[in-house]
Amino acid sequence: MSDELKGIRTRFRAYTMPSAGSCFSYATDKEFVLIEARAPQEIRDRIVEEMELFQHETISLLHITSWDQDHCTASELEWILDNLKPRKLEYPGYEADNDNSIKCLGLIENYKNQRHILSSSVVRVTPEYVNSLKSGSGYSYKNIIFFIPKSILKKQMIIQLLSFFVLECLMF
């Protein structure tokens, strides 16, 4: 692998939501990633337009960061699975603990079974999964993950991480 990143055409889009929540897309000529399982009616056409700009008929990855309803809504996840047909799906490693999240997890399981998707294409993002990823040895566009389990998420830790990040930026 070269020490130099090659330029690629990219586009990152944050969609304006009509309610609390977020949805983002990252597109290249080879991949279309949707971050969060949110696609209210008001933004669906914009997501499809973004896909068309890069000539994608399906999304390569749906990455869901949280089971909270502002990150994953069952009816919107269902539309994404039925219409955008992600080839890979990554979902939270912690337990689904409310009606919406349990319904979302059920939709993911049904999608995996109905589409006969390889089990490696539907990934529960746990610390074990993150630790199993190959360590980077140079510049890359793959496996960029930041994960803090709820069980260790503490205010003091956040302050330490932010302090470290700011220090690293100042030193760069």
Side-chain angles (χ1 to χ4, degrees):
M1 181 184 298
S2 168
D3 283 344
E4 213 174 295
L5 270 179
K6 294 181 178 152
I8 59 171
R9 184 172 77 121
T10 62
R11 187 167 162 120
F12 182 81
R13 173 108 188 238
Y15 299 92
T16 303
M17 304 293 281
S19 60
S22 57
C23 180
F24 307 94
S25 64
Y26 170 77
T28 69
D29 290 328
K30 293 182 179 182
E31 297 193 54
F32 190 94
V33 176
L34 193 63
I35 304 165
E36 306 304 6
R38 293 297 315 276
Q41 189 68 44
E42 295 86 349
I43 71 164
R44 292 177 183 177
D45 288 343
R46 289 191 288 276
I47 293 171
V48 172
E49 287 170 4
E50 288 292 308
M51 292 173 67
E52 289 171 351
L53 280 173
F54 284 82
Q55 300 177 335
H56 291 287
E57 293 179 10
T58 62
I59 59 177
S60 50
L61 171 64
L62 170 61
H63 181 80
I64 304 168
T65 64
S66 169
W67 286 128
D68 295 340
Q69 194 156 348
D70 59 338
H71 295 266
C72 184
T73 301
S75 60
E76 296 167 18
L77 172 61
E78 187 170 20
W79 180 85
I80 292 167
L81 298 176
D82 289 346
N83 295 280
L84 306 182
K85 299 171 179 44
R87 293 188 303 276
K88 184 172 183 179
L89 198 155
E90 296 174 339
Y91 64 95
Y94 66 91
E95 295 300 318
D97 60 358
N98 61 52
D99 289 343
N100 177 69
S101 60
I102 291 167
K103 190 181 241 185
C104 289
L105 186 56
L107 289 167
I108 291 168
E109 289 298 322
N110 287 342
Y111 182 74
K112 183 170 123 178
N113 295 332
Q114 288 174 355
R115 302 265 182 218
H116 306 288
I117 292 178
L118 298 173
S119 60
S120 63
S121 295
V122 178
V123 178
R124 184 173 179 233
V125 179
T126 63
E128 293 79 20
Y129 168 74
V130 173
N131 289 334
S132 76
L133 298 173
K134 183 180 174 188
S135 295
S137 58
Y139 297 116
S140 177
Y141 294 101
K142 296 285 182 200
N143 298 329
I144 301 169
I145 294 176
F146 182 75
F147 175 85
I148 299 177
K150 282 185 172 181
S151 61
I152 63 167
L153 185 61
K154 296 178 183 172
K155 184 177 181 181
Q156 185 176 3
M157 183 179 178
I158 292 171
I159 292 169
Q160 288 172 339
L161 285 170
L162 290 174
S163 298
F164 177 76
F165 178 76
V166 169
L167 180 63
E168 286 297 307
C169 289
L170 291 173
M171 292 175 69
F172 186 79

